[in-house]
C-alpha cells in the first residue's frame, strides 16, 4: 500500500471533475443465500470478510485503500493491498458488496468505491452487535455526495493514524438546528481528541465544487449557525461547543468558500471557523493542516493563517 507521504498528487482524487459520472463495476446476475451460507461453511468467507462488511456498513462508501488502512488500525493482519482486493472481489461476486468507479472527461478513475449489496445487509441483520439501515436506493447517491464521504473517510483515518490525542470517531454525527427544526449530519464525520484532562471535538463538513455548490453551502452553514447559536451543554451529546472545520478541495476552494460565507453574512459568532483540504491530510503530522482566514489590520485584506494546534501532533 502506498503511504500518505508517498502520494504526489497535485489534485485531490476526491475533487469533482468535469463530466463525472458513477459507473457500476459490481456483479450482475443472481446469487442465493444458500450459496453465501455454503461459502461461510467451507471457510471461503471468514472473520476478516465480516470485518470488511462492518466497515463498509459503518462508512457507507469507502475505497479499498481506506479499507486497508482501517483494518490495520483495528489490528487485522492483511498481508497486502492485493490480498485485500482479492477478498473484496469475492464479496462482490457473492453480491455481499458492490463496486463503482468514476469516469469523467479526464478518463477512468484510479480507485474503486465499495458499498453494501443485498446479501451484505442480510448477513449483518443476523448479527446482534451491529445495526444496518442500508437500503438499495442508498447506492444511487450522486457523485458529489459519495466524494464527500470518501474525503471525510480520509480525514478520519488521518486523525486515527497521526494524532496521539485521538480518542474516538463518528462517521455521521447528527446535529439539530433547533430554530429551523431540522436534524442534519456533518458530512465529513467527527473526531474526539483527549490529552490529560483536556478534550475537544471536531466536526468536519466536506464541500465539493458540485453544481450549485455555493447555494448548498449557504443552506448547510445556516443549519450550523442555528446549531451553534442555540447550543446548550448536552445538545446532541456534546458537553461543549465542537470545533467546525470545512474540508475543501484545495486552497483556492477555501478562499472561494470563505468569500461566499462573508458576502452572505453567514459567519458563526460563537466559534473560529477553520478550514483544511484533502491533500493536507497526507502530511506526516496534522499539526499545521488547519487554517483560518483573518483580516490583516495593516492591509485590510483577508489572509490565510495556519493555526498551530499542538494537540494535533
Amino acid at each position: 500500500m502506498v503511504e500518505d507521504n508517498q502520494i504526489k498528487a497535485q489534485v485531490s482524487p476526491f475533487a469533482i471533475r468535469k463530466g463525472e459520472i458513477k459507473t457500476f463495476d459490481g456483479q450482475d446476475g443472481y446469487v442465493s443465500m444458500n450459496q453465501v451460507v455454503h461459502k461461510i461453511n467451507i471457510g471461503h468467507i471468514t472473520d476478516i470478510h465480516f470485518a470488511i462488511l462492518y466497515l463498509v456498513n459503518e462508512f457507507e462508501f469507502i475505497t479499498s485503500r481506506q479499507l486497508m488502512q482501517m483494518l490495520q488500525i483495528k489490528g487485522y493482519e492483511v498481508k497486502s493491498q492485493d490480498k485485500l482486493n482479492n477478498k473484496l472481489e469475492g464479496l462482490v461476486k457473492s453480491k455481499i458488496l458492490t463496486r463503482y468507479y468514476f469516469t469523467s472527461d479526464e478518463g477512468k478513475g484510479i480507485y474503486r468505491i465499495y458499498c453494501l449489496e443485498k446479501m451484505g445487509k442480510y448477513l449483518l441483520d443476523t448479527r446482534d452487535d451491529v445495526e444496518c439501515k442500508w437500503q438499495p436506493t442508498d447506492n444511487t447517491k450522486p457523485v458529489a455526495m459519495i466524494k464527500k464521504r470518501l474525503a471525510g473517510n480520509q480525514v478520519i483515518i488521518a486523525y486515527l493514524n497521526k494524532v496521539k490525542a485521538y480518542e474516538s470517531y463518528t462517521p455521521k454525527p447528527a446535529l439539530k438546528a433547533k430554530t429551523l427544526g431540522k436534524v442534519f449530519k456533518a458530512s465529513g464525520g467527527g473526531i474526539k481528541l483527549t490529552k490529560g484532562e483536556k478534550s475537544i471535538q471536531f466536526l468536519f463538513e466536506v464541500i465539493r465544487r458540485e453544481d450549485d455548490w455555493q447555494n448548498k453551502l449557504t443552506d448547510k452553514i445556516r443549519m450550523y449557525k442555528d446549531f451553534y447559536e442555540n447550543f446548550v451543554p448536552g445538545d446532541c451529546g456534546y458537553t461543549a461547543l465542537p470545533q467546525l472545520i470545512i474540508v475543501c478541495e484545495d486552497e483556492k476552494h477555501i478562499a472561494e468558500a470563505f468569500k461566499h460565507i462573508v458576502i452572505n453574512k453567514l459567519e458563526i459568532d460563537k466559534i473560529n471557523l477553520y478550514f483544511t483540504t484533502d491533500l493536507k491530510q497526507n502530511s506526516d503530522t496534522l499539526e499545521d493542516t488547519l487554517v483560518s482566514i483573518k483580516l490583516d489590520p495593516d492591509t485590510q485584506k483577508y489572509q490565510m493563517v495556519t493555526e498551530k494546534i499542538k494537540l494535533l501532533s
Side-chain angles (χ1 to χ4, degrees):
M1 183 180 70
V2 177
E3 299 299 328
D4 285 356
N5 58 13
Q6 296 175 312
I7 295 174
K8 305 301 181 184
Q10 299 298 310
V11 178
S12 168
F14 309 129
I16 297 295
R17 285 160 170 78
K18 187 177 180 182
E20 197 163 34
I21 60 171
K22 180 180 68 175
T23 303
F24 177 72
D25 190 36
Q27 178 76 16
D28 286 322
Y30 175 75
V31 175
S32 72
M33 180 53 73
N34 285 339
Q35 290 172 292
V36 173
V37 170
H38 178 66
K39 288 184 178 182
I40 295 173
N41 289 339
I42 64 175
H44 288 180
I45 295 176
T46 63
D47 288 347
I48 187 70
H49 293 89
F50 274 95
I52 293 168
L53 192 54
Y54 275 50
L55 285 168
V56 175
N57 178 55
E58 183 177 27
F59 286 95
E60 190 176 8
F61 297 99
I62 191 167
T63 69
S64 58
R65 182 174 183 269
Q66 291 172 346
L67 277 168
M68 182 74 171
Q69 290 174 301
M70 285 302 302
L71 288 167
Q72 290 176 336
I73 288 168
K74 290 181 178 291
Y76 289 93
E77 185 177 345
V78 184
K79 293 182 179 179
S80 69
Q81 185 71 59
D82 286 341
K83 294 282 188 184
L84 174 59
N85 291 345
N86 289 338
K87 294 181 188 301
L88 290 168
E89 182 68 26
L91 290 171
V92 170
K93 286 182 176 178
S94 297
K95 296 184 78 72
I96 293 169
L97 298 180
T98 195
R99 181 172 56 200
Y100 295 89
Y101 61 86
F102 297 125
T103 52
S104 69
D105 292 355
E106 298 175 16
K108 191 174 179 179
I110 60 172
Y111 57 88
R112 298 293 184 272
I113 307 102
Y114 293 86
C115 49
L116 283 180
E117 181 57 283
K118 181 173 61 177
M119 291 298 175
K121 177 172 173 56
Y122 290 164
L123 289 177
L124 289 174
D125 284 345
T126 67
R127 300 290 177 113
D128 294 331
D129 59 344
V130 63
E131 182 181 20
C132 180
K133 295 182 179 180
W134 179 87
Q135 50 190 2
T137 51
D138 290 347
N139 293 356
T140 66
K141 290 181 178 178
V143 170
M145 193 174 291
I146 296 172
K147 286 203 162 185
K148 288 176 186 179
R149 178 68 269 156
L150 299 178
N153 296 350
Q154 180 180 245
V155 172
I156 289 173
I157 292 168
Y159 276 74
L160 265 65
N161 274 329
K162 301 172 185 178
V163 179
K164 294 176 184 176
Y166 160 77
E167 182 177 326
S168 62
Y169 71 87
T170 307
K172 306 169 190 174
L175 309 169
K176 185 171 184 180
K178 294 179 182 177
T179 303
L180 295 172
K182 292 182 178 180
V183 174
F184 65 101
K185 294 180 180 180
S187 60
I191 288 284
K192 183 177 182 180
L193 306 177
T194 302
K195 188 174 183 180
E197 296 183 358
K198 186 177 181 182
S199 183
I200 187 172
Q201 302 224 41
F202 287 172
L203 292 173
F204 297 96
E205 181 58 37
V206 181
I207 61 173
R208 305 288 92 172
R209 288 189 182 97
E210 57 189 305
D211 292 341
D212 202 29
W213 73 267
Q214 292 97 332
N215 286 333
K216 291 175 182 176
L217 176 60
T218 295
D219 293 341
K220 200 64 180 284
I221 293 296
R222 280 177 178 159
M223 287 190 281
Y224 277 112
K225 190 175 175 70
D226 188 336
F227 168 74
Y228 280 105
E229 289 180 351
N230 295 290
F231 178 84
V232 294
D235 280 356
C236 304
Y238 296 98
T239 56
L241 284 171
Q243 172 63 55
L244 179 59
I245 300 164
I246 307 293
V247 183
C248 298
E249 292 186 2
D250 48 49
E251 290 195 348
K252 183 182 177 184
H253 196 202
I254 291 177
E256 293 166 355
F258 178 78
K259 181 179 179 181
H260 181 79
I261 289 169
V262 171
I263 288 174
N264 290 277
K265 297 181 171 56
L266 296 170
E267 298 98 323
I268 301 172
D269 295 332
K270 286 192 173 184
I271 60 168
N272 293 317
L273 187 60
Y274 290 166
F275 296 85
T276 191
T277 66
D278 296 350
L279 294 182
K280 285 181 183 290
Q281 313 314 309
N282 294 335
S283 304
D284 289 332
T285 173
L286 302 184
E287 196 171 348
D288 301 325
T289 57
L290 300 183
V291 301
S292 62
I293 300 180
K294 297 178 180 177
L295 189 65
D296 187 292
D298 297 324
T299 64
Q300 289 299 299
K301 293 182 178 180
Y302 284 106
Q303 291 185 337
M304 202 173 293
V305 178
T306 299
E307 297 287 344
K308 292 275 188 178
I309 300 179
K310 290 183 178 180
L311 196 61
L312 299 186
S313 62

